[in-house]
Amino acid sequence: MADSGRARPADPDAADSRTASPLTVRKRTQQSPGLRPRYQSSALGHCFKKVTLTKPTFCHSCSDFIWGLIGFLCEVCNLMCHEKCLKTLRSVCSCMTPSVVQVPVAHCFGPAAQKKRFCCVCRKHTEGNTALRCEVCELHVHADCAAFSCADCRRCHLDGTLEQDTFPHHWREGNLSSAARCEVCRRSCGSSDVLAGMRCEWCGIMSHAACYLSVPPECTLGRLHRMLLHPACVRLDSRNFSKMHCYRITESHELDNSDDVDAAVSKDGQLTASESGKQSLKVFDGDDAVKRSYFRPVSILRATRNEDVVEAALRAFYLPDDPQDYELHEVGGLQRFHSDDILNRNGGPDNRSSLRDGGDSWLLRAKPRESEVIKVHAGWPRLSAAFIRVSISKSSTASSVLTEVLRELDRQEDVSSFSLMEIWMSSKQVQRQMLTPQEKVLDKLQEIRKLSLRQMNQTRFYVVENRKWAVQVSLLIGGLPPLLTREEYAHLIQEHLTIKSHLVNISHYYPSQGAVGLQISCFSEAERIYMLAKDTSVNSKMLTSLVIPEIMLNSLGEDVCPLLVFVNPKSGGLKGRELLYSFRKLLNPHQVFDISNGGPLAGLHTFRQVPRFRVLVCGGDGTVGWVLGVLEAVRHKLVCREPPIGIVPLGTGNDLARILRWGPGYSGEDPHHILVSVDEADEVLMDRWTILLDAQDMSEDGKDNGFLEPPKIVQMNNYFGLGIDAELSLDFHLAREDEPDKFTSRFHNKGVYVKVGLQKISYTRSLHKELQLQVDTHNVPLPNIEGLIFLNIPSWGSGADLWGSEVDGRYGKPSIDDGLLEVVGVTGVVHMGQVQSGLRSGIRIAQGNYIRLTVSKPIPVQVDGEPWIQPPGHIIISAAGPKVRMLRKSKQKQKKSSAGPKDGRSESPSSRDGGH
C-alpha cells in the first residue's frame, strides 16, 4: 500500500501506538491551515473531535458509561471514547483496517439475521433488511458499508500464494454479549450498547481492546480443537473461484452488487441534507465509480474551505490521506477546486454560487506525484517488521523495487527468482496480479488511483518467490445417470462439458450416486467446467458442481478426530439456516456442508482419506436416513468406513434423535454446547434393515389412480408402516407439497397431523384380509387391525412407546442393536391417539429378524416418514449388512463445558446471533 507525500501516522504494527496529546495536535494543525483543530491518533488513524453528549453514551474502548457532557468522537468511523481512554486506545479506525490485515481473505456476505448488531465499518446499528453478515466470520456491515470493509476474513485453508508458519489469533472487534469476560483482566468486556471488545474467531477467547495484545499470540483453537480441521490441514487451489464457490455457499442474487458504493437518495430523487444551511454533494472516487454512477454523499456548509470539502470527501471514502494531496474535479467539466474559499472563489462575487450552479457531482482525484513511498510485504513468514518501505520515482520499475526489497531482507538470490505481486483486498474477492519486471510502479499506482481511490487504499504489494507448483483443482460433478461404468461417465462428461482430456482426469466415480470426481490441472479449465456444469442437464436432470478441498493427512494431529457436519437448511424453518451459519463460524467451513447443495456425497468425498472422523447430521429422520443410505453405498471408498453419527433434530418426529438422547427437537440450544456434547458422546451400534419391494403386476385400479412403484430396495432405520399410519403420513406429505411455505414450524406440522387424523377417524380397511405375514419362516395370523408397524427403535410417531413397557415372557426387551424387529398393530386412529397420549400401547404381534409380507391390494406404506402407495406383491425385510455406529449423548450434564478460561471460549458466537 502506498504512502502519501506527507508524514503519515505511524503504522499500527509500529512499537509506539500511543495517542498524540491534544497540545501536540493543536501545534500540528496550526502548521497546516487546511485542517481544523481536532484530536488525531498517531497510530490508529482516528480523527477525534470533542462533542457534547445529549443522551447516555458508552465508551467503545472500555465499554463503560461516559459520565459528564464531553466525549471524543472519531469523525471517520464514529468511535466514541473517554478522554482518559485516548492514551490506551487500541481500536484501529476503519480507514486503517487494510494496513493491519495479516493474510488477505475475502468475505462471504449473506443477509443478516434481524437481531441488533453493530456495523464493523461505521459502528452504527445494522437493524433492517439492508444488513449483511459474513457467513464464515463475525463481520456485520451495512450493505453500503460492505465496499469499505476489506478482505480480513478467517484463513481456512492454504492456497500456495502466501505462506504462514504460525497460526495467530484472528481478532474481530465487537458484537459481544454483555456477559463476556476479558481473558486478561477477567472484567466484563462485552456490550450490547456499542461495538466494543475483541474476540478470536477461532478459539473464541475475548478481551478488552486495551488488553488483547497481552494474550499469547499463537491460537490453540480452544475447546473444539480435537474436532476442528486446522487451516494448515486443508489445501485448495482457488485462484479463479470466489469464497462462495470454495465454501459451497449459495449466493443470494440481491447481494451481487454489495461491493458497490450506494448513494443515499431521498424519495424525490435528490440527495438529503441532514441539517438546514448545508449542501449535499455527490462525490465519486474514480473513473470506475463515475461509469457505474456509484457515489458517496458529502454534506457540507455552504461557506466551507475547499480543503475542508476535500477532507470531508476523504472521510466519506474512509481514506486516511492528507487533503493537500487531493483535489475535486467537477464531473463532466474542467472546473476544479483549488485552495481558496468556496464563497469567495478568486475573490470575485460572480463566482460565489459556482458550486451550487455548476452542479453537485464531483470527482475526487489524487494530485500527480513525482515520487512516493510504498510498502512491500514479504510473501513468506518473517520475524522482523511486516513490510519494507521503498521510495519510488517515475523511473522505478518492479525489478528495481525487488532489488531494493531483497537487499533489505538479506536475500542473496537472483532478482529473476522473485516477482512483485499486486493484491487488491476487496471484501468479496482477493484479486492477485503479477507485475512484469519492466513495469513502472509509479504509473501503476496512478492508474489504480485514477480508476478508484478506494481500490488504491485496499491494494497491497508483496514480494513472492517464482515457484511452479502443480495445479490441482478437484470438482465433484453430480446429477449424472446412476449405475454406469467409468468409461460411460467419461463419455458423458466429454459429450456435455467438452473437457480437455489432457488436463482433466476422472479420479473417483460413484455409480450408485451418479457422480464423478475430477482432477483438473489448469485453473481456467476448472473454472470453465465448474460454471458450465451448473447450466447443463443430462437426461432432463440438472448437473451439480462443487469445489472440493484437499485434506492433508500428514498435518492432522494424532488426537484430532474432525467432525463432518451436514445441515439441512430446509428443516426446522429458519433454524437450519442459522445452524449452518453458526457451525461455519465455530468450525472450519470446509467441514460444514449444506446437504441441499450436492447431498451427503460431497462431504463424504471430501473426507474419503481421513482415517478417523465423526459425522453430525442436522435435520429430521429423513435427513439422517439419507446420510446413512449414501454412507452405506460409498463406504467401500472411504478409509474410515464406519464413522459414528450424531444428530441435531430439526424435523417433526425426530424419533431416532429421541432414543439417542439428542432431544425431541432443536429449540435454540447454543451450537457450541452441541459440539461439546458431540465430542463427549458415547458410541453405540444400531441395526439397519433392507426392504425389498418385489411388486407384482400393477393392478388396473392402480394405474388409473397414478400409483407409481417406488425403488425396488429401500433402507429402513426407524420403522416401516402399512395401513392407517402410512395413509396419515401420505396425506400430510401431499399437503406439504401443495403449500410448502406453511410447513415451517413443528407446532403447525403437528396440527396438520391432528387434522388429517380426525378426518380418518371412521376409517376401516380390514388389513388382516389383505396381508399375509411371515416372521422367521413362521406364518403369523393377524388380528383385526387397520395398521401394521415394524419397529427398529423404541420410539414411534414423535416419541410414542408403541411396543409398551410391560414385561412379556414371549418377547425380549427391544433394543436398537439386538438384530430384531418388533411387529405391532393398531386398530385405528383412536387407538393411535391413545398410544400418542400414553394411555395404551400397540398390539404386540411378533418379534424376529426376517419378515416376509404378501400384499393383495394397493396399500399406503411409509419408511421412516417417507410415504407412497405400494402395489400388490411381496415385501421382504432383512438385516442390511453391518450395524451402523451412532453417537448417543452422554447422560452426565456438562457443567461449565465451555465457560472456563482454559478451554478458550466463554460463549459461542451463535448464541449472540439470534434467529434460533
Side-chain angles (χ1 to χ4, degrees):
M1 198 174 301
D3 288 341
S4 60
R6 67 167 170 155
R8 287 271 302 279
D11 293 284
D13 313 47
D16 183 14
S17 58
R18 297 179 181 176
T19 306
S21 68
L23 179 60
T24 305
V25 175
R26 287 194 188 99
K27 291 181 179 178
R28 188 183 305 155
T29 54
Q30 289 171 3
Q31 299 170 3
S32 177
L35 292 174
R36 290 173 293 169
R38 55 176 55 86
Y39 301 91
Q40 292 178 313
S41 167
S42 64
L44 306 174
H46 294 292
C47 190
F48 288 108
K49 65 176 181 180
K50 273 187 178 181
V51 292
T52 302
L53 305 178
T54 58
K55 59 182 180 180
T57 308
F58 293 84
C59 177
H60 292 201
S61 178
C62 65
S63 72
D64 290 338
F65 184 75
I66 299 179
W67 297 96
L69 300 177
I70 300 299
F72 288 80
L73 176 70
C74 176
E75 294 183 296
V76 181
C77 69
N78 300 309
L79 183 141
M80 175 74 74
C81 69
H82 299 96
E83 183 174 9
K84 66 178 182 179
C85 290
L86 289 175
K87 296 180 180 180
T88 58
L89 190 63
R90 293 293 183 270
S91 299
V92 179
C93 183
S94 300
C95 68
M96 297 293 290
T97 303
S99 66
V100 297
V101 175
Q102 295 184 349
V103 178
V105 179
H107 291 287
C108 301
F109 284 124
Q114 294 299 314
K115 198 169 182 179
K116 183 178 74 173
R117 289 290 176 265
F118 294 95
C119 174
C120 290
V121 175
C122 71
R123 296 179 167 270
K124 297 180 180 178
H125 287 159
T126 61
E127 292 177 292
N129 296 326
T130 61
L132 305 176
R133 67 180 178 188
C134 178
E135 298 284 337
V136 177
C137 72
E138 283 289 289
L139 190 79
H140 288 75
V141 292
H142 297 103
D144 58 351
C145 288
F148 301 102
S149 62
C150 64
D152 61 344
C153 191
R154 291 189 299 167
R155 189 184 194 190
C156 300
H157 61 262
L158 305 178
D159 60 6
T161 304
L162 303 177
E163 298 179 7
Q164 189 177 17
D165 57 349
T166 60
F167 189 70
H169 293 286
H170 190 102
W171 295 106
R172 174 74 65 206
E173 183 179 9
N175 288 316
L176 310 182
S177 74
S178 54
R181 292 284 174 182
C182 177
E183 182 75 9
V184 178
C185 67
R186 305 309 303 168
R187 296 176 54 212
S188 174
C189 63
S191 174
S192 57
D193 300 298
V194 292
L195 189 76
M198 307 292 290
R199 177 184 176 276
C200 175
E201 293 296 309
W202 285 108
C203 67
I205 64 173
M206 289 164 283
S207 172
H208 292 102
C211 296
Y212 81 101
L213 294 178
S214 301
V215 177
E218 189 158 356
C219 183
T220 60
L221 300 181
R223 171 64 179 83
L224 305 178
H225 71 278
R226 289 199 302 267
M227 61 172 58
L228 195 147
L229 271 181
H230 195 288
C233 299
V234 185
R235 182 182 179 86
L236 182 61
D237 293 332
S238 58
R239 189 185 69 176
N240 291 350
F241 296 103
S242 72
K243 284 297 174 287
M244 292 288 191
H245 297 156
C246 296
Y247 298 146
R248 305 162 304 280
I249 299 174
T250 304
E251 191 166 7
S252 302
H253 294 295
E254 64 269 18
L255 301 177
D256 288 345
N257 294 325
S258 65
D259 204 28
D260 299 325
V261 186
D262 299 324
V265 182
S266 64
K267 293 182 179 179
D268 60 1
Q270 300 296 321
L271 286 172
T272 57
S274 57
E275 301 176 22
S276 58
K278 286 191 174 184
Q279 181 175 3
S280 291
L281 309 177
K282 296 178 183 178
V283 179
F284 301 86
D285 77 323
D287 293 343
D288 184 58
V290 174
K291 180 180 177 181
R292 297 188 297 166
S293 191
Y294 294 123
F295 59 87
R296 293 287 284 179
V298 176
S299 180
I300 61 169
L301 294 171
R302 295 185 180 274
T304 306
R305 297 179 59 85
N306 297 337
E307 196 170 65
D308 290 340
V309 178
V310 173
E311 185 180 7
L314 288 173
R315 288 201 303 267
F317 283 100
Y318 294 91
L319 299 176
D321 297 324
D322 191 333
Q324 297 181 9
D325 296 329
Y326 293 84
E327 58 190 7
L328 284 169
H329 295 224
E330 186 178 0
V331 175
L334 300 176
Q335 181 178 347
R336 67 178 63 181
F337 285 1
H338 295 287
S339 59
D340 50 358
D341 189 88
I342 290 178
L343 291 184
N344 299 293
R345 190 186 303 270
N346 298 328
D350 295 337
N351 293 319
R352 182 167 296 181
S353 301
S354 61
L355 177 63
R356 295 188 295 272
D357 302 334
D360 60 355
S361 297
W362 297 85
L363 179 60
L364 185 62
R365 286 284 196 209
K367 295 178 181 178
R369 306 178 187 184
E370 297 296 325
S371 63
E372 199 159 345
V373 176
I374 65 170
K375 304 171 188 172
V376 180
H377 297 252
W380 54 86
R382 297 188 65 236
L383 298 177
S384 54
F387 53 82
I388 301 296
R389 293 183 185 273
V390 181
S391 298
I392 60 172
S393 61
K394 286 189 174 182
S395 60
S396 298
T397 63
S399 180
S400 65
V401 170
L402 283 173
T403 302
E404 184 171 349
V405 171
L406 293 174
R407 185 173 62 250
E408 291 289 335
L409 295 176
D410 293 328
R411 298 293 293 257
Q412 305 299 324
E413 295 93 329
D414 187 7
V415 176
S416 61
S417 302
F418 297 85
S419 294
L420 190 64
M421 183 170 62
E422 169 203 331
I423 293 185
W424 178 25
M425 302 183 295
S426 166
S427 60
K428 291 183 67 176
Q429 190 167 8
V430 175
Q431 300 183 16
R432 300 173 173 89
Q433 180 182 351
M434 294 293 186
L435 276 62
T436 61
Q438 302 306 317
E439 190 165 357
K440 298 295 181 63
V441 180
L442 189 61
D443 292 345
K444 181 69 175 177
L445 296 179
Q446 292 174 347
E447 177 185 331
I448 299 174
R449 285 197 178 97
K450 185 177 180 183
L451 182 69
S452 170
L453 295 175
R454 172 171 56 94
Q455 180 175 337
M456 184 66 248
N457 190 46
Q458 295 175 342
T459 297
R460 177 180 289 181
F461 293 96
Y462 281 86
V463 54
V464 295
E465 295 185 64
N466 295 330
R467 295 180 303 165
K468 290 185 178 180
W469 69 88
V471 176
Q472 191 177 63
V473 182
S474 298
L475 297 182
L476 182 67
I477 307 297
L480 296 166
L483 306 178
L484 301 182
T485 64
R486 179 191 288 265
E487 291 72 23
E488 289 172 322
Y489 282 124
H491 177 72
L492 275 178
I493 292 292
Q494 178 65 48
E495 177 185 355
H496 290 86
L497 302 180
T498 60
I499 63 174
K500 298 176 182 177
S501 56
H502 65 288
L503 298 175
V504 183
N505 174 49
I506 295 182
S507 58
H508 298 81
Y509 75 106
Y510 302 92
S512 62
Q513 307 301 310
V516 295
L518 304 181
Q519 290 283 1
I520 307 170
S521 58
C522 174
F523 283 122
S524 57
E525 177 70 359
E527 184 181 38
R528 185 191 67 81
I529 293 175
Y530 175 84
M531 301 306 295
L532 181 59
K534 287 181 171 293
D535 297 324
T536 302
S537 62
V538 177
N539 296 346
S540 301
K541 184 177 181 181
M542 296 300 297
L543 298 183
T544 60
S545 179
L546 296 172
V547 181
I548 301 298
E550 175 192 0
I551 299 177
M552 296 182 291
L553 305 180
N554 57 351
S555 299
L556 281 175
E558 293 183 359
D559 64 334
V560 174
C561 180
L563 183 68
L564 172 59
V565 181
F566 293 110
V567 182
N568 189 346
K570 298 178 181 178
S571 296
L574 294 177
K575 294 177 181 177
R577 181 183 178 275
E578 288 300 315
L579 271 178
L580 186 65
Y581 169 66
S582 298
F583 286 140
R584 282 199 187 112
K585 291 192 304 179
L586 289 166
L587 302 170
N588 190 320
H590 286 301
Q591 62 189 111
V592 181
F593 289 78
D594 178 349
I595 204 171
S596 65
N597 184 16
L601 180 61
L604 296 173
H605 176 65
T606 302
F607 276 63
R608 65 192 180 277
Q609 297 293 335
V610 178
R612 190 167 61 104
F613 67 93
R614 288 182 166 192
V615 178
L616 180 64
V617 181
C618 307
D621 288 337
T623 304
V624 178
W626 185 11
V627 173
L628 288 172
V630 174
L631 176 61
E632 176 69 25
V634 304
R635 71 166 69 244
H636 62 285
K637 293 182 179 291
L638 305 179
V639 173
C640 178
R641 297 193 173 187
E642 298 178 1
I645 298 173
I647 304 172
V648 176
L650 295 180
T652 302
N654 303 316
D655 288 287
L656 184 56
R658 293 170 190 266
I659 62 108
L660 293 174
R661 301 179 187 150
W662 296 107
Y666 178 69
S667 56
E669 185 182 356
D670 184 355
H672 178 262
H673 295 161
I674 293 176
L675 295 178
V676 172
S677 297
V678 171
D679 188 40
E680 298 170 344
D682 305 317
E683 293 187 16
V684 296
L685 296 176
M686 185 183 76
D687 299 322
R688 291 191 80 228
W689 301 85
T690 296
I691 303 177
L692 173 62
L693 300 158
D694 184 21
Q696 303 298 318
D697 295 336
M698 187 181 292
S699 66
E700 292 299 322
D701 179 58
K703 290 180 181 179
D704 294 340
N705 288 278
F707 296 146
L708 299 177
E709 287 197 46
K712 288 291 185 182
I713 298 177
V714 295
Q715 303 293 328
M716 185 261 284
N717 304 307
N718 298 353
Y719 39 75
F720 171 48
L722 304 89
I724 182 61
D725 76 309
E727 188 161 345
L728 295 181
S729 182
L730 181 62
D731 290 347
F732 173 83
H733 178 73
L734 296 175
R736 182 165 57 181
E737 282 192 339
D738 290 340
E739 298 178 294
D741 294 340
K742 293 185 177 180
F743 290 78
T744 57
S745 75
R746 201 174 291 121
F747 181 78
H748 176 268
N749 294 353
K750 291 185 177 180
V752 174
Y753 256 119
V754 172
K755 181 180 178 182
V756 171
L758 292 175
Q759 294 172 349
K760 304 284 184 181
I761 200 166
S762 59
Y763 173 94
T764 57
R765 179 157 188 140
S766 300
L767 199 64
H768 63 287
K769 298 179 181 180
E770 302 174 9
L771 297 178
Q772 294 180 17
L773 174 64
Q774 189 181 68
V775 179
D776 294 340
T777 71
H778 298 292
N779 292 324
V780 178
L782 293 175
N784 189 359
I785 56 176
E786 305 297 338
L788 186 65
I789 298 103
F790 300 86
L791 299 171
N792 183 44
I793 62 175
S795 178
W796 167 86
S798 300
D801 185 4
L802 186 60
W803 180 259
S805 57
E806 299 85 2
V807 178
D808 191 334
R810 297 175 298 167
Y811 309 110
K813 184 178 180 181
S815 174
I816 64 174
D817 63 345
D818 58 3
L820 298 176
L821 282 177
E822 286 69 47
V823 186
V824 191
V826 293
T827 59
V829 173
V830 174
H831 187 185
M832 291 171 60
Q834 292 171 332
V835 172
Q836 293 279 1
S837 60
L839 300 176
R840 290 180 62 185
S841 57
I843 301 172
R844 297 180 182 178
I845 296 175
Q847 196 176 40
N849 60 15
Y850 180 85
I851 310 293
R852 184 181 180 91
L853 280 166
T854 302
V855 182
S856 60
K857 294 182 180 180
I859 186 172
V861 300
Q862 61 103 352
V863 176
D864 294 343
E866 300 297 322
W868 67 88
I869 298 293
Q870 176 64 22
H874 299 292
I875 301 175
I876 297 175
I877 310 175
S878 60
K883 303 177 190 293
V884 295
R885 307 170 78 87
M886 304 298 293
L887 291 174
R888 182 169 60 191
K889 191 174 183 179
S890 175
K891 278 186 176 181
Q892 297 178 354
K893 293 183 179 180
Q894 306 300 330
K895 296 181 180 179
K896 299 183 179 180
S897 59
S898 63
K902 297 298 182 185
D903 60 24
R905 189 182 298 268
S906 58
E907 80 168 318
S908 159
S910 44
S911 65
R912 304 188 302 277
D913 274 309
H916 299 328

